[in-house]
Amino acid sequence: MIKEIEELLNDQIKFEAKASAQYLSMASWADTRGYNGIAEFFYMQSEEERVHMTKLVKFINERSGNAVIPAIDKPRDDFKSLMELFETFLKSEEFVTEKINNIIYECLERKDYNVHNFMQWYVAEQLEEEAIARTLLDKLKIIGDDKSGHYLFDRDINTFQAAEEPK
């Protein structure tokens, strides 16, 4: 494995681990405020990011690389509103997309087509994740500060996500 690409993949492991911890913290925040649907949404997002991380670990190790399991900082847990919670979600997904695009760029520059091919799954995954984050944030902007709207958003978030996923 090309050393620079291995380093980028190990960085990506850290970004996925951070996202997983952040979403777990967001789930806990929502859970303690009675937003059970939103909490469940973020518990699932946290698990999804952990799966993304594990997939990278296995890929690096299977290619005779050395996957590095990172220490991560305490995630943010002080959100002022649902709007801020979902703005944080979108920013996190945009950051991960940027980092994945950088790996793709470096793979093409160094002609590492095996890693490039592997990373295409992440490209598709990020497209979906960003679309969901933007759509949910747009819905919250429409709802504004309406408490009954927040109640319905919380109740319907997981059915909405399933309906939005591409077939």
Side-chain angles (χ1 to χ4, degrees):
M1 178 173 279
I2 298 170
K3 183 181 184 311
E4 293 82 4
I5 299 293
E6 182 178 340
E7 288 173 7
L8 289 172
L9 293 175
N10 273 308
D11 286 345
Q12 193 63 38
I13 289 171
K14 180 171 43 180
F15 302 141
E16 300 290 347
K18 282 180 167 182
S20 179
Q22 182 60 68
Y23 298 160
L24 186 59
S25 178
M26 293 161 81
S28 180
W29 181 92
D31 226 356
T32 61
R33 284 156 182 81
Y35 294 115
N36 300 1
I38 293 168
E40 187 57 34
F41 172 81
F42 281 114
Y43 284 131
M44 289 187 303
Q45 290 300 127
S46 175
E47 179 60 19
E48 193 171 299
E49 300 303 326
R50 191 197 62 75
V51 168
H52 295 176
M53 177 186 66
T54 302
K55 188 173 177 150
L56 283 162
V57 168
K58 289 179 177 180
F59 179 77
I60 293 168
N61 290 336
E62 287 168 358
R63 298 203 59 225
S64 299
N66 182 33
V68 177
I69 309 308
I72 56 170
D73 296 330
K74 179 185 177 303
R76 179 178 173 197
D77 62 0
D78 61 338
F79 305 95
K80 293 176 182 64
S81 65
L82 289 179
M83 185 70 71
E84 187 176 34
L85 190 74
F86 280 87
E87 286 170 346
T88 301
F89 176 45
L90 177 58
K91 286 177 191 166
S92 176
E93 292 301 329
E94 289 172 336
F95 174 81
V96 169
T97 297
E98 178 186 327
K99 296 305 181 182
I100 287 169
N101 287 341
N102 186 50
I103 293 170
I104 297 293
Y105 174 80
E106 291 299 328
C107 286
L108 292 173
E109 286 290 303
R110 298 171 197 288
K111 298 182 180 179
D112 189 336
Y113 301 115
N114 289 326
V115 175
H116 177 271
N117 186 51
F118 171 77
M119 292 303 296
Q120 293 309 303
W121 180 85
Y122 287 88
V123 171
E125 189 71 13
Q126 284 308 118
L127 185 65
E128 177 186 316
E129 292 295 322
E130 278 193 42
I132 289 169
R134 279 193 188 88
T135 301
L136 292 173
L137 192 54
D138 287 346
K139 297 251 181 251
L140 277 174
K141 287 176 183 174
I142 292 167
I143 293 167
D145 291 330
D146 179 51
K147 296 290 185 197
S148 60
H150 288 176
Y151 172 81
L152 294 173
F153 181 85
D154 178 63
R155 184 192 70 186
D156 297 341
I157 186 171
N158 290 302
T159 58
F160 171 77
Q161 181 189 18
E164 285 295 307
E165 290 180 4
K167 306 286 184 244

